[in-house]
Amino acid sequence: PSSDIPPKVLTLLMIVRGKGDSREILLGMKKKGFGAGYYNGFGGKVETGETIEEGAQRELREEAHVEALDMERRGVLRFIFDDNPQPWEVHVFHATEFSAEPLESEEMAPVWFPTANIPFDKMWADDVYWYPLFLGGKCFRGELFFTKTTTLVKHTVEEVPGP
Ligand code: 6OG
């Protein structure tokens, strides 16, 4: 059964700046590859020989030319696809401090959005279920089932005490 295949481990990092009602989140419009046309945080596959945190930093550097200075893991999401036997385990990170103004890369065009105005209609269908916990400073776990790669058919998301 598919659950016996070790998951593909990926990272997803969002930078949040500002306080209270003026908070903004950095998302990137994915220009090519998996999820092209969707806004998402920055991330990708963790490579052999690097830690998950190192993978998260490298992907942010490659995709937005910036370093996160206070990255913290907030959640782990498990994605199960009916058209892919290998589940994906996405480690979600939060940061507020960063080294420079993010820049466009070959993969991503960065945009700051007010946290009250996140473009969920142009994002992966799962995001609307866990962003409230992410933005509320909570840690979480989720299991999300997709058919035909992009249709979310079932989900469980829950708050957990720690990363
Ligand atoms: P690259 O192909 O760029 O890595 N990712 C997802 N993010 C959300 N919010 N929902 C999903 O639902 C996702 N599936 C993958 C993980 C892909 C990037 O996209 C994220 C990585 O940051 C299915 O190497």
Side-chain angles (χ1 to χ4, degrees), residues 10-12 30 34 40-45 59 63 79 81 88 90 107 124 126-127 130 146 149:
L10 299 108
T11 64
L12 185 61
K30 188 97 186 276
F34 190 77
N40 206 348
F42 300 84
K45 191 176 182 302
E59 290 284 348
E63 294 179 351
F79 294 105
F81 303 96
W88 289 20
V90 176
E107 265 197 76
W124 281 99
D126 54 283
D127 294 6
W130 56 265
F146 284 85
T149 315

Side-chain angles (χ1 to χ4, degrees), residues 31-103:
K31 292 158 64 176
K32 60 183 194 186
F34 190 77
Y38 287 163
Y39 284 106
N40 206 348
F42 300 84
K45 191 176 182 302
V46 176
E47 289 175 0
T48 310
E50 69 184 1
T51 64
I52 295 172
E53 284 75 9
E54 286 166 351
Q57 281 289 8
R58 176 182 49 72
E59 290 284 348
L60 178 67
R61 201 164 51 232
E62 289 175 4
E63 294 179 351
H65 305 294
V66 60
E67 308 272 336
L69 306 176
D70 62 348
M71 185 174 92
E72 279 180 5
R73 181 170 8 201
R74 282 292 188 67
V76 183
L77 302 172
R78 190 176 171 86
F79 294 105
I80 295 146
F81 303 96
D82 71 339
D83 51 2
N84 181 351
Q86 187 180 35
W88 289 20
E89 184 180 284
V90 176
H91 294 254
V92 182
F93 292 88
H94 179 274
T96 64
E97 305 278 326
F98 49 101
S99 60
E101 199 53 33
L103 294 176

Side-chain angles (χ1 to χ4, degrees), residues 98-138:
F98 49 101
S99 60
E101 199 53 33
L103 294 176
E104 183 162 352
S105 64
E106 263 181 42
E107 265 197 76
M108 288 283 227
V111 182
W112 291 101
F113 289 96
T115 54
N117 205 0
I118 292 174
F120 287 117
D121 57 328
K122 294 177 203 130
M123 294 165 68
W124 281 99
D126 54 283
D127 294 6
V128 72
Y129 297 109
W130 56 265
Y131 265 63
L133 291 171
F134 178 81
L135 292 171
K138 311 295 188 195

Side-chain angles (χ1 to χ4, degrees), residues 6-22:
K8 174 167 157 179
V9 179
L10 299 108
T11 64
L12 185 61
L13 188 154
M14 276 74 64
I15 298 172
V16 180
R17 73 177 179 191
K19 290 247 181 311
D21 288 345
S22 59

Side-chain angles (χ1 to χ4, degrees), residues 145-161:
F145 296 81
F146 284 85
T147 60
K148 296 184 201 133
T149 315
T150 59
T151 305
L152 181 64
V153 288
K154 195 173 111 185
H155 70 273
T156 58
V157 175
E158 60 175 10
E159 185 180 337
V160 294

